[in-house]
Amino acid sequence: MTYSHEVEHMCVVKKGPNHGPAPIPEEGKWIKSKEIKDISGLTHGVGWCAPQQGACKLTLNVKEGVIQEALVETLGCSGMTHSAAMAAEILPGKTILEALNTDLVCDAINTAMRELFLQIVYGRTQSAFSEGGLMIGAGLEDLGKGLRSQVGTLYGTLAKGPRYLEMTEGYIKRVALDKNDEICGYEFVHLGKFMEEIKKGTDANEALKKVTGTYGRFTPEAGAVKYIDPRQE
């Protein structure tokens, strides 16, 4: 340690009380975190790239400072999906400090890591008051049937109005319009369930029927007078 000439010639003044850091809630306990290993918790963070063309939702499950589980979900940019593949391999096993200073390939994923780090070290995790925290695998609970991300894709123009393309129920196959040409329901295909049926050996046409459903006033009896393909019409 090198001291300046001015400091070298100062006399010693004793330091008063030192109570340490304020405790933060972690997995059902109040912890005074002083080192990386004092940090545990599961939480989510959202990041974006500089042009804000794509976004990333990152979920990490941290135990004693080390990332045990990572869920990387990306949206809006084709290249991000490959970056996420690398990040999912890079993150587990790193401490949260290492992960913060690791190139996670995509700017949006790096930004998500920064935002998530702040939540974790300030005691704002999703599992702050869950005794013992959440088991490894809890990150998958955010995903739907067939382990697919919850994605909404909706589009609209002033000239032609709204188009529902994908919602949590699945891929929107047809949109129902009422007598005023307003949306009153839709037909969807749950692609996660569809692929599970296919893997079971179900015939594709039969599987498609099983996983197709409707929402809202979709039938003529309920007020639907017209059906459109939101991708074509």
Side-chain angles (χ1 to χ4, degrees):
M1 195 77 68
T2 304
Y3 296 97
S4 70
H5 178 73
E6 289 80 7
V7 173
E8 283 280 5
H9 285 81
M10 289 179 180
C11 65
V12 175
V13 176
K14 291 287 183 168
K15 189 177 179 181
N18 178 16
H19 299 298
I24 60 174
E26 290 182 32
E27 301 192 336
K29 295 179 182 176
W30 289 97
I31 304 292
K32 288 188 175 184
S33 62
K34 297 181 181 180
E35 301 176 42
I36 290 294
K37 66 181 178 60
D38 296 329
I39 299 291
S40 294
L42 179 141
T43 200
H44 317 284
V46 176
W48 53 94
C49 58
Q52 299 192 29
Q53 180 184 353
C56 168
K57 178 194 160 199
L58 180 63
T59 304
L60 296 183
N61 200 348
V62 179
K63 302 288 186 185
E64 297 180 352
V66 178
I67 297 168
Q68 300 292 335
E69 174 185 22
L71 171 65
V72 190
E73 299 175 85
T74 62
L75 182 72
C77 170
S78 57
M80 293 172 73
T81 61
H82 294 77
S83 301
M86 289 181 266
E89 189 172 350
I90 290 167
L91 285 165
K94 286 192 178 292
T95 69
I96 53 172
L97 187 60
E98 282 181 295
L100 188 68
N101 291 289
T102 297
D103 180 11
L104 299 176
V105 190
C106 164
D107 229 14
I109 305 174
N110 287 321
T111 305
M113 183 63 223
R114 179 195 71 197
E115 297 299 303
L116 202 148
F117 178 87
L118 292 174
Q119 291 185 43
I120 294 171
V121 298
Y122 282 123
R124 268 66 171 180
T125 63
Q126 302 291 309
S127 59
F129 299 103
S130 302
E131 190 173 352
L134 298 176
M135 68 175 72
I136 311 305
L140 293 177
E141 291 178 8
D142 283 354
L143 303 179
K145 191 77 170 174
L147 299 184
R148 284 174 59 88
S149 296
Q150 303 293 309
V151 175
T153 309
L154 297 299
Y155 178 72
T157 59
L158 178 60
K160 301 294 184 178
R163 297 293 186 276
Y164 295 178
L165 302 174
E166 181 131 3
M167 295 177 78
T168 192
E169 296 92 344
Y171 176 98
I172 306 302
K173 192 176 174 186
R174 289 190 297 164
V175 173
L177 306 180
D178 64 14
K179 62 184 179 181
N180 299 319
D181 280 340
E182 294 179 358
I183 294 174
C184 61
Y186 51 84
E187 182 180 41
F188 59 85
V189 176
H190 197 303
L191 294 176
K193 291 180 181 177
F194 177 70
M195 290 309 300
E196 289 200 337
E197 288 293 333
I198 294 294
K199 285 190 284 187
K200 287 179 190 173
T202 308
D203 174 74
N205 290 320
E206 184 62 33
L208 189 59
K209 287 179 187 174
K210 287 180 74 172
V211 301
T212 298
T214 64
Y215 182 84
R217 295 182 290 116
F218 190 78
T219 62
E221 295 79 17
V225 298
K226 183 181 179 182
Y227 302 95
I228 63 168
D229 180 340
R231 291 169 173 80
Q232 300 294 332
E233 298 170 74

